[in-house]
Amino acid sequence: MGGMLQYVECTVNTGDKVTVTLKTTGSMGDVISESTSIAYTYAKNYLSIIDPNNKYFEKSIHLHFPAGAIPKDGPSAGVSVVTALLSLALNIGVKDTIAMTGEITLSGKILDVQAIKEKIIAAHTTGITEVILPSSNHAEWDELDPILTSGITVHFVSTYDDIFKLSFPDYDLTKLKKKNSKSTTQLVTITDQSSSVSCSF
């Protein structure tokens, strides 16, 4: 059984100009809620390092996993959440042909995930041509049938720095926009349909 694409959306609550919060919706279980909280903290800290003058996270953010009727749980959407939040804060989009998966820690390490085969099947069926996988999942990728891996470029990562460079290849610290105009961002994630676990592709 294959997987399915799951989008991660985030936007600013324009009506809330005082309270700094992260609101999450989308039938999220305890583990994915915890992972999202970790990703939010990491994204704020990462932004403070690469762009100290950026105050975007001094706002109320709403993060949503569409298809609310489908339960979602698991830690592997972490890297997608971080990237979606940074895309919003930096006003830089991410290619819609790239997908990623991996659990992220507070120190930015990328941990392995399950159901690599299902994720790659989902990538094939939805036009994804480039995937980002944890380095610790290299063996699972190597075991896949060449029919599944054909036409897909894979990047193995160990830290979030690796993901940032792949997601925002044109990012230049010397050419930062002083004012961010992007109000909403959306990033692809993948769910293992057979277990309803978010697999952040």
Side-chain angles (χ1 to χ4, degrees):
M1 190 176 201
M4 59 178 289
L5 280 184
Q6 173 65 60
Y7 290 89
V8 180
E9 298 180 335
C10 59
T11 189
V12 171
N13 292 323
T14 55
D16 188 347
K17 299 181 180 180
V18 179
T19 305
V20 180
T21 60
L22 175 67
K23 179 180 180 180
T24 57
T25 52
S27 297
M28 299 166 62
D30 291 341
V31 177
I32 194 172
S33 294
E34 182 179 85
S35 179
T36 298
S37 179
I38 292 170
Y40 177 58
T41 296
Y42 184 81
K44 289 194 297 182
N45 291 339
Y46 197 86
L47 183 67
S48 71
I49 294 172
I50 64 172
D51 188 6
N53 295 322
N54 191 317
K55 306 300 181 183
Y56 210 83
F57 287 129
E58 294 181 2
K59 301 179 180 181
S60 177
I61 306 292
H62 186 172
L63 188 142
H64 178 60
F65 290 84
I70 301 175
K72 307 166 189 73
D73 209 356
S76 56
V79 293
S80 290
V81 172
V82 173
T83 306
L85 289 168
L86 290 176
S87 174
L88 182 68
L90 295 171
N91 192 32
I92 303 175
V94 180
K95 291 186 297 183
D96 60 7
T97 55
I98 190 170
M100 60 190 70
T101 185
E103 177 181 355
I104 191 166
T105 70
L106 285 173
S107 61
K109 294 180 180 179
I110 310 302
L111 306 183
D112 62 296
V113 296
Q114 298 180 353
I116 294 298
K117 179 179 179 179
E118 288 75 12
K119 294 172 174 62
I120 299 305
I121 291 174
H124 261 294
T125 58
T126 51
I128 296 298
T129 59
E130 195 172 355
V131 299
I132 299 175
L133 301 178
S135 294
S136 49
N137 282 118
H138 207 303
E140 288 87 340
W141 170 267
D142 289 340
E143 293 173 356
L144 295 178
D145 191 298
I147 295 177
L148 292 180
T149 59
S150 176
I152 294 181
T153 300
V154 62
H155 305 280
F156 294 101
V157 298
S158 300
T159 68
Y160 188 76
D161 281 339
D162 301 328
I163 295 178
F164 186 86
K165 294 172 185 176
L166 292 166
S167 300
F168 309 105
D170 298 323
Y171 181 81
D172 187 345
L173 285 172
T174 65
K175 297 180 180 179
L176 288 174
K177 295 182 179 179
K178 294 183 178 181
K179 183 177 181 181
N180 292 313
S181 60
K182 193 178 183 70
S183 61
T184 304
T185 190
Q186 184 183 72
L187 188 71
V188 178
T189 189
I190 286 186
T191 295
D192 175 5
Q193 195 174 37
S194 61
S195 62
S196 295
V197 175
S198 176
C199 304
S200 82
F201 237 23

